[in-house]
Amino acid sequence: MYTALRLQRKLKTQLRSGAAEIIVVTPEPYMTYQPFLPEAAAGSISPRHVVVPLRRVLEHCSIVIGEVESVDHAKRTATVATLATEDEGAGPVEITYDELVLAPGAVSRTLPVPGLADHGIGFKAVEEAIGLRNHVIEQMDIASSTRDPAIRDAALTFVFVGGGYAGVEALGELEDMARYAARYYHNIKAEDLKWILVEATERILPEVGEELGRYAIRELRGRNIDVRLGTRLESCEDRVAVLSDGSRFPTRTVVWTAGVKPAPVLAATGLPLNSHGRLRCTAMLTVDGVEHAWAAGDAAAVPDLTASEEGAVCAPNAQHALRQAKVLAENIAASLDGRALEDYRHKYVGSVASLGLHKGVAHVYGRKLKGYPAWFMHRAYHLSRMPTFNRKCRVLAEWMLAGLFKREIVSLGSLEHPRAEFEQAVGRERPKEGY
């Protein structure tokens, strides 16, 4: 989105005259600002406000909602399955291009853990974040109404796998939300909820440094969260989480945030990939050894010109992706005009992470912050990076209202099965719970 946004500004005259065309192929008609997913899951931000509608911001681009199945760069064609492909019965469509920009991002990296496909919940999309919020509140409703102690314990046990940003922030925000919601249940106390963080390495939040990582562990454990380091999830079959240290936890909630991998479409492009499946790129954001092909973001292995070690590539995070997008658009415009291309160069400035309401850690420009100052910096930084003035204002307004009124603890689980009520009315069986 950022590349197309900047490119439509650079090529405004050509786009209006029809001399140029920008086609954006995407599975969803919006861009998700993922750092705000934990707050959306906790109800601090409306899910509509963590996404940016592409048709509004990319008014001079052609938006095609679909998925690229393959790319034949020699012929300059991309095979795309659109939303209408199945209804038309004519198969995927071919889109021709002159310049190819690949920025499909990353998907969840899963492992062959028994039961994970049946019971695991991801945390990469806004739909997953809202579904998880509804699911957590629904489990509290189940625990409140059941007479079976085993069902109650399983419903109130929440297992998060992965100690990176996604896992720690999602766990911190949801634990905060659930602890607050518990005051409205006559037979559930905050101490009854069991939260478990499983991390295969010996530290969490490695991006903020070892010292702040240890602080984050103390903060989480101080809230009665069970942090298991050097531990793996071996199985979650039959709604029982089995850990590598021999522990067994009956649970109805397993959230998988154990890393990401490049989007599968990259393997269908025939373009050069590195050992991790990312596109091999130059510092000018061109695909290495390939003309008229560009890449940025999580899918691109871009040399880090500011790193001291040889062969280092930019980390797959938003800090690099947003800045790469701007350089990429400038370089495409420069190549069309026959001008010299610019190298991408950005020194990592640090990281911020939220551990729940008014709690966080930050390591920025060599300074280390904890608690409220870090949490405030987390919000301020991401608000400044949130696309469009419209979304910035809406998010800020929601934060201000949240400071004046009580949290929302409503579960709208029926959103995942919107026809269930009608199907029940006509005599069909209601769909079973998905998790």
Side-chain angles (χ1 to χ4, degrees):
M1 187 202 78
Y2 275 100
T3 302
L5 180 61
R6 197 170 187 87
L7 200 55
Q8 76 174 3
R9 293 172 184 166
K10 302 292 293 185
L11 305 179
K12 184 179 295 185
T13 303
Q14 295 93 320
L15 290 170
R16 287 177 175 173
S17 66
E21 182 183 14
I22 302 173
I23 302 174
V24 179
V25 181
T26 172
E28 306 292 348
Y30 52 79
M31 188 213 78
T32 303
Y33 190 72
Q34 293 190 351
F36 278 153
L37 287 185
E39 292 206 44
S44 301
I45 303 176
S46 168
R48 298 190 311 276
H49 300 158
V50 302
V51 299
V52 181
L54 297 181
R55 297 189 190 280
R56 176 180 294 175
V57 298
L58 302 179
E59 53 186 339
H60 300 300
C61 301
S62 299
I63 309 297
V64 177
I65 306 303
E67 295 191 22
V68 175
E69 294 185 343
S70 63
V71 173
D72 188 339
H73 192 60
K75 296 181 179 178
R76 302 287 195 276
T77 60
T79 303
V80 180
T82 69
L83 292 179
T85 295
E86 186 175 345
D87 292 336
E88 290 174 344
V93 299
E94 280 196 351
I95 297 178
T96 59
Y97 61 83
D98 298 297
E99 304 287 338
L100 173 67
V101 176
L102 284 165
V107 298
S108 295
R109 182 189 63 197
T110 58
L111 298 175
V113 176
L116 182 62
D118 297 321
H119 304 298
I121 306 172
F123 201 76
K124 281 284 292 176
V126 66
E127 294 86 357
E128 291 176 321
I130 305 311
L132 181 57
R133 168 187 168 81
N134 293 334
H135 175 77
V136 168
I137 297 177
E138 186 177 81
Q139 297 313 303
M140 296 178 70
D141 290 336
I142 291 172
S144 176
S145 58
T146 185
R147 298 179 181 179
D148 188 329
I151 294 177
R152 175 186 167 91
D153 289 345
L156 295 181
T157 300
F158 306 95
V159 178
F160 285 68
V161 183
Y165 279 124
V168 172
E169 291 192 334
L171 171 59
E173 291 284 354
L174 284 166
E175 189 274 338
D176 240 1
M177 182 270 294
R179 182 159 31 87
Y180 177 87
R183 68 179 67 181
Y184 296 101
Y185 290 81
H186 70 283
N187 57 352
I188 295 180
K189 298 179 181 178
E191 308 85 67
D192 297 335
L193 279 71
K194 183 183 296 183
W195 300 84
I196 303 161
L197 177 63
V198 180
E199 169 54 40
T201 66
E202 295 297 333
R203 57 192 293 193
I204 66 172
L205 297 175
E207 297 87 351
V208 299
E210 190 172 350
E211 179 186 341
L212 291 178
R214 289 196 299 267
Y215 168 82
I217 292 173
R218 292 196 302 271
E219 166 67 28
L220 294 176
R221 286 175 173 167
R223 289 155 61 180
N224 204 31
I225 296 172
D226 187 355
V227 180
R228 302 285 180 109
L229 301 178
T231 308
R232 299 181 309 278
L233 177 68
E234 299 284 356
S235 169
C236 56
E237 288 183 306
D238 302 321
R239 295 186 183 274
V240 177
V242 180
L243 306 185
S244 60
D245 62 4
S247 303
R248 297 172 61 89
F249 297 99
T251 178
R252 300 166 63 91
T253 309
V254 175
V255 183
W256 183 267
T257 61
V260 296
K261 63 181 180 181
V265 68
L266 299 182
T269 63
L271 298 175
L273 308 179
N274 69 359
S275 58
H276 297 288
R278 299 167 70 188
L279 286 163
R280 289 207 312 267
C281 295
T282 68
M284 295 176 289
L285 303 175
T286 61
V287 177
D288 194 16
V290 182
E291 294 182 345
H292 307 292
W294 314 75
D298 292 3
V302 179
D304 188 350
L305 300 182
T306 65
S308 56
E309 60 270 23
E310 188 177 350
V313 297
C314 297
N317 57 38
Q319 188 174 142
H320 282 298
L322 298 185
R323 290 169 172 84
Q324 287 173 1
K326 295 179 181 179
V327 175
L328 176 52
E330 295 287 343
N331 279 350
I332 292 176
S335 71
L336 297 178
D337 294 338
R339 292 182 282 113
L341 305 187
E342 174 188 352
D343 283 341
Y344 171 74
R345 185 187 300 269
H346 170 67
K347 188 172 179 59
Y348 195 62
V349 299
S351 301
V352 291
S354 168
L355 302 177
L357 190 62
H358 300 159
K359 296 174 281 290
V361 290
H363 188 184
V364 181
Y365 293 113
R367 298 191 62 183
K368 299 176 182 178
L369 300 175
K370 307 172 184 176
Y372 184 88
W375 170 83
F376 183 83
M377 179 174 286
H378 172 272
R379 280 199 162 183
Y381 172 77
H382 286 302
L383 181 65
S384 71
R385 297 298 173 181
M386 184 69 189
T388 77
F389 181 73
N390 176 299
R391 286 298 185 265
K392 284 183 174 68
C393 291
R394 289 178 183 271
V395 169
L396 183 59
E398 287 193 308
W399 283 343
M400 294 174 64
L401 289 174
L404 298 174
F405 301 101
K406 295 181 179 180
R407 278 180 183 256
E408 286 290 347
I409 59 168
V410 175
S411 167
L412 297 176
S414 59
L415 289 175
E416 285 127 47
H417 305 289
R419 296 191 67 248
E421 183 86 13
F422 185 75
E423 289 180 346
Q424 190 175 20
V426 297
R428 290 186 182 178
E429 184 179 353
R430 182 175 179 173
K432 295 182 179 179
E433 184 184 8
Y435 299 129

